Amino acid sequence: MRKAWWRPRQADSPAEAGPCGPEPSLLDDAEALTTEAVRALARGDTAAFRLLAAELAGRPDLPGWPLVTGRCLAARLQRGVALAWERGWQPADVVRYASRRRTARHSRLAADAIAAEMRAYSAATVAAQWREQLALIGAEVWWEDDDEYPDAWCEREETDRADFTACAVELVHLLEGLPRLASLGPPPGTPLREAPVRDGFEGVDQRMLGKVRALLAKAESTEFPEEAEALSARAQELIARHSIDHALLAAETGDLGGPAGRRVAVDNPYDAPKAVLLTVVADANRCRAVWHRELGFSTVLGFPADLAAVEMLFTSLLVQATSAMVHAGPRRDARGRSRTRSFRHAFLNAYAARIGERLRDAAGEAADRAAADAGGKDLLPVLAARDLAVEKAVDVMFPNLAKGRAGSVSNYEGWVAGRAAADLASLNGRSEVSGASRRS
């Protein structure tokens, strides 16, 4: 059973509360105002929302009003977070979406609401992937008393109660309107199986991952393309070998574990070519990426060890692409008009296309080396079986999936520059992995 965010405290004055807390009529009034404010946002009536939010924020005729509204908003936020879990959202998804659709302030409030909600669940019912995300977004209860949270939040954000109220109502509207997503695992409160829920890093040698991260960090920071290539090649070798060895071991031991999933942020600007880059990296790693354009992320499905490779490689390649793109500088046409946006859009599209070609080329080579080291053993059946399992997982999770086409590119200079940058990019540890583990 979930517990309430707020804990009743002794009333400061008779007007503030009845024998058992705030007067029911005041709570009803606050709930009704909150509902009307959310409805005003839903129909786009900004003027009505502002009036309702202002009334929620302060009524001088009612000394206990701030306590009542604070508790009401806390309860609505808590219900909104629980509803997000029911609809397949995870902590990082919610915070990222709040920032995308609103502001960083809303995302921080969302993290606090999540932290408060998570107190309702025992550790035995929270999967490892959720705990990882909670730590990543900083979801922790930092305030001392729930009833004093609004004032503590205002002090932290250096703002007033009116801004808190407006921000909270806007977040409630966002949470209550979240679309349903395919579930990537049991929500908190669900008794876990004895075997841990699979996440993107299960089954991956953490020492090996540490070596790969160190190699990629050097590849991203070096100014010398040749050094980046050498570093990335070593990282690719480590990941590729681990991925194929993991697949062979699973086949030999009869491991019945199937594909898992992770959501990877695909941010503006230039989100379309970034999504293409993630897709080619996922394909190379024997995974599949499904882009949710309006939500700002892609769902990547694959076996856990391969998911780790996808996320690391995509992040590293994006760092390198962005650095090369910015280094190329702004662009203007003959009349002095800016063409920077079209240049960068073409640059990233070309970069993704060329990286895809390099990954496919590296795939066969990595698989050949793995087969040779295995004494000529045919890897095709093992890898094909994993491909089929991933494809089935995609079909089940996204039965109505539609394939999109890449957008048009109008800047030839940007396209050429992007392909050149991709040729110099270090395939950050997973390319060959990808390749190796993806095709034979």
Side-chain angles (χ1 to χ4, degrees):
M1 178 181 296
R2 295 190 306 107
K3 61 185 179 182
W5 181 342
W6 53 269
R7 298 187 299 274
R9 66 176 182 181
Q10 184 66 35
D12 294 332
S13 68
E16 182 174 322
C20 299
E23 292 287 352
S25 61
L26 292 185
L27 287 171
D28 290 343
D29 288 347
E31 178 69 23
L33 279 172
T34 301
T35 298
E36 286 303 312
V38 170
R39 289 174 177 170
L41 282 174
R43 63 176 181 268
D45 191 342
T46 305
F49 164 71
R50 288 175 178 171
L51 288 174
L52 292 163
E55 188 172 358
L56 269 172
R59 291 178 57 178
D61 56 317
L62 296 174
W65 189 245
L67 174 64
V68 172
T69 57
R71 291 180 175 181
C72 176
L73 290 172
R76 286 292 288 265
L77 286 170
Q78 183 177 358
R79 293 202 299 269
V81 169
L83 181 62
W85 300 167
E86 294 174 8
R87 292 180 176 175
W89 290 67
Q90 296 184 342
D93 305 331
V94 172
V95 170
R96 183 167 53 239
Y97 189 62
S99 179
R100 179 183 176 88
R101 293 299 298 270
R102 288 293 180 176
T103 68
R105 177 173 285 176
H106 291 79
S107 70
R108 291 191 292 272
L109 181 60
D112 289 348
I114 289 170
E117 167 67 10
M118 292 306 298
R119 295 183 302 190
Y121 310 103
S122 69
T125 66
V126 180
Q129 188 179 38
W130 284 69
R131 294 195 296 270
E132 173 191 321
Q133 291 189 28
L134 292 170
L136 182 66
I137 65 176
E140 58 182 5
V141 177
W142 53 269
W143 57 96
E144 295 183 1
D145 183 272
D146 290 353
D147 283 342
E148 296 174 0
Y149 172 75
D151 291 333
W153 186 89
C154 290
E155 182 178 355
R156 184 188 70 178
E157 299 293 329
E158 298 182 346
T159 188
D160 56 25
R161 188 67 177 243
D163 278 348
F164 167 77
T165 303
C167 187
V169 173
E170 288 166 344
L171 183 57
V172 167
H173 170 248
L174 193 70
L175 292 172
E176 294 181 352
L178 290 176
R180 187 170 295 277
L181 298 177
S183 176
L184 297 183
T190 305
L192 302 180
R193 300 169 301 176
E194 291 185 8
V197 174
R198 291 174 176 267
D199 61 35
F201 293 93
E202 182 195 0
V204 182
D205 186 327
Q206 293 301 316
R207 291 175 299 177
M208 183 276 295
L209 276 184
K211 294 177 181 178
V212 169
R213 290 192 184 102
L215 290 168
L216 297 183
K218 292 180 180 179
E220 292 161 16
S221 62
T222 182
E223 297 179 359
F224 304 101
E226 297 81 2
E227 182 181 7
E229 285 287 354
L231 292 167
S232 65
R234 176 55 179 159
Q236 292 164 19
E237 180 182 345
L238 288 174
I239 289 282
R241 175 46 57 90
H242 180 81
S243 180
I244 294 178
D245 287 350
H246 193 274
L248 291 173
L249 179 62
E252 292 173 359
T253 60
D255 181 7
L256 299 179
R262 290 180 77 88
R263 296 191 181 107
V264 179
V266 180
D267 298 318
N268 283 316
Y270 315 112
D271 55 347
K274 290 177 183 177
V276 173
L277 178 61
L278 177 56
T279 297
V280 301
V281 172
D283 286 349
N285 279 282
R286 316 194 78 83
C287 298
R288 294 291 182 271
V290 177
W291 184 31
H292 311 269
R293 182 168 194 162
E294 297 302 318
L295 304 181
F297 55 74
S298 288
T299 299
V300 183
L301 299 177
F303 283 82
D306 297 330
L307 289 176
V310 169
E311 196 160 15
M312 284 193 294
L313 180 55
F314 171 68
T315 301
S316 182
L317 286 171
L318 194 55
V319 167
Q320 294 183 65
T322 301
S323 177
M325 182 178 67
V326 171
H327 182 72
R331 288 294 189 276
R332 294 187 178 277
D333 63 14
R335 296 184 180 180
R337 295 174 298 188
S338 175
R339 298 205 65 195
T340 299
R341 183 170 184 82
S342 65
F343 173 86
R344 291 182 173 179
H345 183 268
F347 182 102
L348 288 174
N349 270 294
Y351 184 91
R354 178 56 183 147
I355 286 295
E357 294 171 3
R358 292 186 62 194
L359 295 179
R360 287 191 294 272
D361 291 342
E365 296 178 9
D368 289 344
R369 287 196 301 272
D373 291 342
K377 184 175 181 179
D378 185 7
L379 303 180
L380 181 58
V382 173
L383 301 182
R386 291 170 80 86
D387 283 345
L388 181 59
V390 173
E391 295 293 352
K392 287 183 177 180
V394 172
D395 291 341
V396 170
M397 194 170 291
F398 303 101
N400 301 313
L401 186 63
K403 292 187 177 181
R405 299 183 62 182
S408 61
V409 173
S410 61
N411 193 304
Y412 178 73
E413 182 186 11
W415 180 268
V416 172
R419 286 186 66 87
D423 281 330
L424 295 177
S426 55
L427 297 187
N428 296 351
R430 272 98 336 153
S431 323
E432 293 207 351
V433 169
S434 331
S437 50
R438 176 117 181 101
R439 311 183 196 287
S440 63

